[in-house]
Amino acid sequence: MTAPENPQPPLRSPRYWPSWLGVGVMKLVARLPYRVLHLLGRTLGLLTRQLPGARRRIAQRNLEICFPELSAGERERLLRATLADLGLMLVEFAFAWMGSDRALARVPCAIEGLEHLEACRAQGRGVLLVGAHFSHLELCARLVSQRIRIAGMYRVMDNPVFEHEVLRARLHYAEAMYTKDELLATVKYLRRGGTLWYAPDQDMRGKDSVFVPFFGVDAATITATHHLARLSGAAVIPFFHRRLPDGRGYALRLEAPLENFPTTDAAADTARVNAQIERMVREAPEQYLWVHKRFKSRPPGEPPLY
């Protein structure tokens, strides 16, 4: 067997020392008390609110597309709020990954709807917790894992140091983590009655996507929720989560499983999932990750939106 032409250097290589420094900073941040973390995040938000360049333009365009009913002034205020929220996201990711169990247990968190999950488990049925890409998604996934055992789906990071450290951190509180290429293992986990957290609300530009409405505009949306439910028999439960103001913690809500899901129509099922995610976003629009090009792919013949 021949060696790869450009083998990865070992993780301790000097090439990765800046990455290890970043990991060290995250670990230090994660040791701060939650109230101090929140204050630090708000302070960083004063900087991220001034974020120039492409990401600001993307967020601004997304808000124009999704909230045409708002005035220009209202959208500008929402834009500033969502950019400031990125400051909190930075510290929440560090806390979610590197914070101790004891520290996480002290974070104010109210969870509604666990009875829906327990009912599915009593039937021996797997559950897909369908959420969305909010700034606090990692932290809320860990918070809910304090009450229930969950697994997650994730995208492999480009930086091998962060991939190594973050995956190890996630596996501390998650039963398993699956990539998009591990469909068979994911289905088997759900068939065993497992609970999988999944956020299907980004433009993956793959062959398994369909164009269905999101805020009234066709958006390329992955059909994986339909297929996972069809292949595993899992229930699909919408998972709402939002950050409360003034550092008062987080509100998490599990709703009743979607009825008659899945059907034989992948596009119709995917549209139903998008409708649930739109409901989530409308509850806390400033906390959603608008800096992603959600409408980058367009149906044939349509002009680009960015």
Side-chain angles (χ1 to χ4, degrees):
M1 180 180 296
T2 59
E5 293 183 5
N6 297 301
Q8 285 269 356
L11 293 183
R12 299 295 178 179
S13 164
R15 172 181 174 180
Y16 294 127
W17 286 356
S19 300
W20 284 110
L21 177 61
V23 170
V25 170
M26 285 197 298
K27 290 182 177 180
L28 289 175
V29 168
R31 294 174 66 89
L32 297 173
Y34 174 70
R35 294 287 182 178
V36 178
L37 271 172
H38 190 269
L39 179 59
L40 174 61
R42 287 297 181 196
T43 303
L44 289 173
L46 297 176
L47 300 176
T48 56
R49 190 172 63 185
Q50 309 302 321
L51 185 70
R55 291 300 170 184
R56 185 185 191 93
R57 291 193 296 272
I58 292 167
Q60 184 177 38
R61 181 62 178 136
N62 280 333
L63 295 177
E64 290 171 352
I65 293 168
C66 295
F67 296 99
E69 72 278 10
L70 297 182
S71 68
E74 289 171 328
R75 283 198 298 270
E76 181 61 27
R77 286 190 289 274
L78 181 54
L79 174 64
R80 289 199 300 269
T82 195
L83 292 176
D85 198 72
L86 297 178
L88 276 166
M89 181 187 72
L90 296 175
V91 298
E92 286 172 330
F93 269 56
F95 191 47
W97 291 331
M98 309 300 180
S100 68
D101 292 336
R102 186 175 180 180
L104 266 291
R106 291 195 292 265
V107 176
C109 176
I111 305 180
E112 298 179 21
L114 285 174
E115 66 274 11
H116 300 303
L117 180 65
E118 295 303 329
C120 292
R121 288 189 163 182
Q123 300 168 9
R125 191 179 183 191
V127 172
L128 268 169
L129 287 182
V130 173
H133 282 81
F134 289 88
S135 57
H136 41 68
L137 81 167
E138 288 278 354
L139 182 53
C140 287
R142 184 165 180 189
L143 288 171
V144 81
S145 76
Q146 293 181 313
R147 306 286 186 89
I148 56 176
R149 296 298 295 169
I150 64 170
M153 296 196 76
Y154 79 109
R155 176 185 176 276
V156 176
M157 295 184 174
D158 295 330
N159 185 302
V161 169
F162 283 103
E163 169 63 18
H164 175 269
E165 289 294 300
V166 171
L167 181 58
R168 183 172 68 172
R170 284 168 166 161
L171 289 174
H172 171 70
Y173 59 87
E175 286 191 311
M177 295 298 300
Y178 300 104
T179 68
K180 62 182 178 62
D181 298 319
E182 296 176 304
L183 178 63
L184 181 59
T186 306
V187 169
K188 287 182 177 179
Y189 172 79
L190 290 169
R191 284 179 175 172
R192 294 195 302 268
T195 300
L196 181 77
W197 182 93
Y198 181 51
D201 61 323
Q202 292 197 333
D203 188 344
M204 306 301 290
R205 307 193 76 182
K207 62 180 180 180
D208 295 323
S209 294
V210 293
F211 285 99
V212 291
F214 184 60
F215 282 85
V217 179
D218 281 346
T221 308
I222 193 167
T223 58
T225 308
H226 161 88
H227 292 300
L228 286 171
R230 178 178 58 84
L231 293 170
S232 69
V236 174
I237 291 182
F239 177 35
F240 288 66
H241 47 90
R242 59 189 175 89
R243 186 192 307 105
L244 300 175
D246 304 320
R248 291 190 286 113
Y250 302 83
L252 283 59
R253 184 172 84 250
L254 281 64
E255 294 196 339
L258 298 183
E259 295 183 356
N260 302 315
F261 192 103
T263 67
T264 57
D265 189 335
D269 287 347
T270 305
R272 288 184 67 191
V273 171
N274 265 9
Q276 297 300 317
I277 293 173
E278 181 176 332
R279 288 177 56 225
M280 298 173 192
V281 175
R282 289 189 181 276
E283 287 195 5
E286 73 284 357
Q287 298 174 20
Y288 190 62
L289 287 181
W290 294 110
V291 293
H292 169 71
K293 285 187 176 182
R294 185 64 187 88
F295 304 98
K296 183 174 183 178
S297 299
R298 303 309 308 138
E302 286 198 11
L305 292 178
Y306 300 98

